[in-house]
Amino acid sequence: MMPVSGSALSTYTSGVERLLASYRSIPATASVRLAKPTSNLFRTRAKTSAPGLDTSGLTDVISIDPDARTADVAGMCTYENLVATTLRYGLSPLVVPQLRTITLGGAVTGLGIESASFRNGLPHESVLEMDILTGAGELLTVSADQHADLYRAFPNSYGTLGYSTRLRIELEPIAPFVALRHIRFHSLDAMLAAMERIVETRGLDGVAVDYLDAVVFSADESYLCVGKRTTTPGPVSDYTGNDIYYRSIQHDSAEGSGKEDRLTINDYFWRWDTDWFWCSRAFGAQHPRLRRWWPRRFRRSSVYWKFVSLDQRFGIGDRIENHNGRPPRERVVQDVEVPIERAREFLQWFLDAVPITPIWLCPLRLRDHHGWPLYPIRPDHTYVNIGFWSSVPAGATEGETNRAIERKVSQLDGHKSLYSDSFYTREEFDELYGGESYNTVKKTYDPDSRLLDLYAKAVQRR
């Protein structure tokens, strides 16, 4: 391993020492939490004045081994920093989640996904080993061969089994550009069938496919976004300015026809971040006149997230709705995974029942065959991640629309991510997210329950 800089390793070592010292300073009767200035979670939780763990010094890439194509990375390093470092070596993580400020540790303990997931699986599957601070205060190196029970249960545990301080991950070679083809479909069946063929063959029209996702605007307007890495130089698009990426996907051509585009590899990785997919429209950032004056450096998900935090804190949106004589809104911000053969049924139900579009789709197949007990989906089977992020008029009961989505996903043998609001009963939750497997690992590595229980964190929002 080659240190990224002369001070990278010493910075990390000092950071671990501060982390351990902050753990020891928290009273044994108090819960342990991270002291994090930012978050990409949409779950609210009870406020606390208790001190959190000091994670300063755990935000950088520690070292790169370009020959082995691996990197040692501190747990709180953002993908923005990680990608900026690996691109200098002509490499990237196997999966780069869409938003710049997602941390590597967060994507592993909370799951992440992107357009390489149909061939590379999920981010935790490229982790070769991790150093984890457990709830018991031990710093353990875990892998498929060391503390394998913790290694397997860590993905989707959301910090309730411990916090990763260092992760060694696989990297893959990249090219300077991504050639894109946005293929239009007039039916969900045709789009999903084409998606499944690409996943199975890893190609389209005899050409290898490197990246694959999709956008559904309506039942009769959807697009596969097919990406191919290329070294061929030429003009590239820029969606950090006045042009908006998701709008560039749309075209009026016949079914099966494609619109071509090109991006630098860096701009491709962050194509969704500039406008937080399409959610920046809620803040006026897509209005042509306002966008002209909106500084580029503030066109990013981390800025929009601050607006959301203010709304959650002060109830601004509900106050506006009340002032206009309308009912409050229910936040529907979710990602779900369903088997590809059930995806059409879910999408049609959703389009009929929930007034939210566009919808993002991302196919995935697990690489690993040994299983991840806290998110048990089948290996060697294609799933579709379906993401939708907005709000609807509140119903008669709390979380009415979210509860209906949970029921539908379970009926279709799917799962949903836990980064946002959940309403499962304890029994439903245990059946879906590890149950006894989780409890066994929890008792082993956090015997005094210094960290929150997963159900308490994901559903009760404590």
Side-chain angles (χ1 to χ4, degrees):
M1 284 278 182
M2 299 190 305
V4 171
S5 69
S7 61
L9 182 58
S10 61
T11 298
Y12 169 73
T13 302
S14 299
V16 171
E17 291 173 355
R18 288 195 298 275
L19 177 73
L20 294 173
S22 65
Y23 176 92
R24 291 190 289 266
S25 70
I26 297 174
T29 56
S31 296
V32 175
R33 301 176 186 268
L34 289 182
K36 290 181 63 177
T38 62
S39 173
N40 283 284
L41 298 180
F42 277 83
R43 286 187 262 103
T44 55
R45 70 181 189 188
K47 295 188 180 300
T48 177
S49 59
L53 295 177
D54 183 352
T55 59
S56 61
L58 302 179
T59 60
D60 297 324
V61 179
I62 303 165
S63 59
I64 301 280
D65 188 332
D67 295 324
R69 295 178 182 168
T70 61
D72 275 21
V73 186
M76 296 292 290
C77 179
T78 66
Y79 272 93
E80 183 173 32
N81 291 341
L82 174 56
V83 167
T85 302
T86 62
L87 287 185
R88 297 203 296 265
Y89 297 86
L91 301 168
S92 80
L94 269 60
V95 178
V96 179
Q98 310 89 334
L99 306 182
R100 295 172 183 267
T101 56
I102 292 175
T103 63
L104 177 59
V108 170
T109 193
L111 303 188
I113 194 169
E114 233 294 81
S115 58
S117 289
F118 78 100
R119 58 185 177 84
N120 287 338
L122 300 176
H124 59 268
E125 296 187 279
S126 62
V127 175
L128 301 174
E129 67 176 30
M130 293 178 278
D131 291 340
I132 294 176
L133 174 64
T134 70
E138 298 179 287
L139 190 63
L140 301 177
T141 299
V142 309
S143 68
D145 302 315
Q146 308 174 76
H147 302 290
D149 53 349
L150 180 56
Y151 172 79
R152 290 279 163 198
F154 195 72
N156 210 43
S157 65
Y158 281 90
T160 65
L161 297 176
Y163 302 109
S164 57
T165 65
R166 178 190 64 89
L167 304 95
R168 179 168 295 171
I169 62 169
E170 299 175 74
L171 305 173
E172 67 175 8
I174 49 86
F177 308 102
V178 176
L180 285 165
R181 185 178 171 196
H182 303 308
I183 307 171
R184 176 161 184 169
F185 294 89
H186 297 288
S187 78
L188 296 173
D189 285 330
M191 183 270 292
L192 289 166
M195 175 186 287
E196 189 165 22
R197 286 194 298 272
I198 293 173
V199 173
E200 292 290 341
T201 64
R202 303 288 183 91
L204 175 66
D205 299 333
V207 178
V209 171
D210 297 309
Y211 304 109
L212 179 65
D213 60 355
V215 179
V216 174
F217 290 91
S218 67
D220 57 5
E221 185 187 3
S222 59
Y223 300 84
L224 284 184
C225 303
V226 180
K228 170 66 178 173
R229 293 184 295 234
T230 178
T231 59
T232 304
V236 293
S237 298
D238 177 8
Y239 297 107
T240 65
N242 291 331
D243 294 332
I244 297 169
Y245 175 69
Y246 82 98
R247 288 301 183 193
S248 77
I249 293 170
Q250 294 181 278
H251 56 87
D252 295 327
S253 303
E255 178 156 302
S257 62
K259 175 183 178 182
E260 296 185 352
D261 199 358
R262 283 166 49 88
L263 295 171
T264 67
I265 186 67
N266 184 73
D267 284 353
Y268 178 79
F269 284 144
W270 307 127
R271 69 202 184 283
W272 290 122
D273 186 88
T274 301
D275 283 288
W276 213 5
F277 285 82
W278 31 80
C279 298
S280 70
R281 62 188 177 185
F283 313 111
Q286 294 181 29
H287 190 283
R289 291 183 179 177
L290 181 58
R291 192 176 186 85
R292 191 176 301 117
W293 296 101
W294 195 298
R296 285 188 184 224
R297 68 183 183 278
F298 294 150
R299 295 175 192 161
R300 50 185 289 143
S301 60
S302 56
V303 171
Y304 309 134
W305 174 249
K306 291 178 181 178
F307 295 144
V308 172
S309 297
L310 287 172
D311 178 59
Q312 290 178 344
R313 183 177 179 184
F314 297 109
I316 298 171
D318 285 345
R319 292 183 183 185
I320 293 173
E321 295 299 302
N322 182 63
H323 177 76
N324 291 315
R326 296 190 293 261
R329 308 281 295 182
E330 176 187 351
R331 183 175 61 196
V332 181
V333 177
Q334 305 286 355
D335 280 73
V336 304
E337 268 93 32
V338 297
I340 194 166
E341 67 272 16
R342 314 299 296 274
R344 195 267 184 198
E345 182 179 349
F346 178 84
L347 286 168
Q348 193 60 65
W349 172 85
F350 187 89
L351 288 168
D352 291 341
V354 183
I356 293 176
T357 54
I359 305 166
W360 184 63
L361 274 60
C362 186
L364 71 139
R365 295 193 84 165
L366 294 181
R367 299 168 66 210
D368 183 275
H369 289 76
H370 297 284
W372 308 96
L374 272 61
Y375 209 73
I377 61 177
R378 289 177 283 165
D380 295 322
H381 195 89
T382 302
Y383 287 74
V384 181
N385 175 280
I386 304 172
F388 35 91
W389 316 292
S390 189
S391 64
V392 299
T397 59
E398 181 190 10
E400 184 172 295
T401 299
N402 283 284
R403 292 174 193 270
I405 291 167
E406 289 177 353
R407 290 192 297 271
K408 191 64 177 180
V409 170
S410 294
Q411 290 170 10
L412 300 178
D413 298 322
H415 282 74
K416 83 167 195 176
S417 299
L418 298 175
Y419 69 84
S420 189
D421 299 318
S422 296
F423 297 89
Y424 298 108
T425 66
R426 168 68 81 168
E427 292 73 20
E428 292 170 334
F429 189 86
D430 286 349
E431 183 177 352
L432 291 168
Y433 299 102
E436 197 53 45
S437 296
Y438 172 78
N439 293 334
T440 299
V441 177
K442 179 75 168 172
K443 290 174 184 175
T444 302
Y445 296 98
D446 186 20
D448 297 323
S449 296
R450 299 293 307 279
L451 306 172
L452 280 179
D453 170 78
L454 183 58
Y455 183 76
K457 190 167 190 176
V459 181
Q460 296 173 325
R461 298 184 285 280
R462 295 213 309 266

